[in-house]
Amino acid sequence: MLAGAIAVFTCLACTHNNITGRSQLSLVSETDVEDMAKTEYTKFLSTSKVVSSNANKDAEMVTRVGTRIAAAITQYYKEKGLTNELEGYKWEFNLVDSKEVNAWCMPGGKVVVYTGILPVTQNEAALAVVLGHEITHAVAGHGRERMSQGIVQQLGGVALSVALANKSAETQNIFNSAYGVGTNVGLLLPFSRKQELEADHYGLIFAAMAGYNPQEAVPFWQRMAKLGGEKPPVFLSDHPSDEDRIQKIQALMPEALSYYKPIVK
Ligand SMILES: [Zn+2]
């Protein structure tokens, strides 16, 4: 743990994540990203074809599964004494009509599922796996970490306070690409290998706690792998390969299953 403690103290712009135990580059505060999320989420929905959950069974399913996952996460944080970390969360779930195989969650619990991913999830448990995974990216601060890295790369870090104060177009672009919002992604946005593993790990636990069989993750990621097309070799990319991911998910399964209490209908 000593190495971890040193890392915390040597990175002044870092925060310690209480769920993953990892130190993360945080040039933007949680309040800042939650504020941006409110604006960007509203903007995204106003320019997208939102499927109304009135009498649409897919939209109803997205809300139902999302609400269960949110309740599981709230319970998990409560059990760890971390309820205050979700204070700014006002969950919203929307299904958007788009052929993209995508879903994402902005900080503060602003979730979008694209209709294009439903033929791949095929069932509620697999949708729960996807939502667990995407919501973990938000609650584990991955988007904030990625945004901080984007700021360093694109704005040199120096202009940060100015950029945030002005909510410049550049900052908004960095925010949107950090959270996978936009039409040019096509597939679920892969984060770094470490972040993907964290999202798979906690995502499976949250899906299981919400009453969904986490084992649906394996066939789901196999179906995703088939869609993937050409990918760079693993050593050239910081993203996990499909095979690597599926193997790790299988290794995480006993732990996830220990949280699994099927929904009683
Ligand atoms: Zn991911």
Side-chain angles (χ1 to χ4, degrees), residues 61-222:
M61 171 178 72
V62 166
T63 307
R64 178 170 62 244
V65 177
T67 307
R68 281 182 183 276
I69 296 278
I73 292 174
T74 307
Q75 189 195 333
Y76 187 89
Y77 272 66
K78 194 176 162 201
E79 283 165 10
K80 304 270 175 203
L82 297 169
T83 299
N84 58 337
E85 297 210 358
L86 296 177
E87 233 164 42
Y89 272 66
K90 303 236 161 18
W91 299 97
E92 279 185 67
F93 303 94
N94 279 288
L95 178 65
V96 161
D97 186 8
S98 160
K99 58 182 190 307
E100 271 188 80
V101 182
N102 203 4
W104 43 256
C105 175
M106 286 182 185
K110 309 296 186 203
V111 177
V112 162
V113 173
Y114 296 65
T115 49
I117 202 168
L118 299 181
V120 193
T121 52
Q122 293 180 5
N123 58 66
E124 282 197 30
L127 177 63
V129 164
V130 169
L131 288 178
H133 178 103
E134 292 306 320
I135 294 173
T136 301
H137 279 315
V139 294
H142 292 165
R144 193 144 72 95
E145 197 175 10
R146 199 182 168 102
M147 196 182 166
S148 301
Q149 288 154 353
I151 286 169
V152 172
Q153 279 165 9
Q154 295 176 42
L155 303 179
V158 189
L160 174 67
S161 55
V162 181
L164 282 178
N166 296 340
K167 300 269 189 288
S168 71
E170 268 167 319
T171 321
Q172 284 170 24
N173 287 340
I174 293 173
F175 176 90
N176 284 327
S177 55
Y179 290 96
V181 182
T183 50
N184 52 353
V185 185
L187 285 172
L188 291 173
L189 174 75
F191 285 66
S192 75
R193 215 179 284 200
K194 206 179 275 172
Q195 293 168 329
E196 283 302 305
L197 181 61
E198 285 175 358
D200 284 335
H201 182 188
Y202 294 97
L204 289 177
I205 291 177
F206 299 148
M209 285 177 76
Y212 297 102
N213 188 348
Q215 292 176 107
E216 285 296 334
V218 174
F220 167 73
W221 284 108
Q222 283 165 343

Side-chain angles (χ1 to χ4, degrees), residues 41-53:
Y41 193 66
T42 310
K43 207 164 35 171
F44 178 85
L45 293 178
S46 70
T47 52
S48 306
K49 278 186 264 169
V50 178
V51 182
S52 161
S53 57

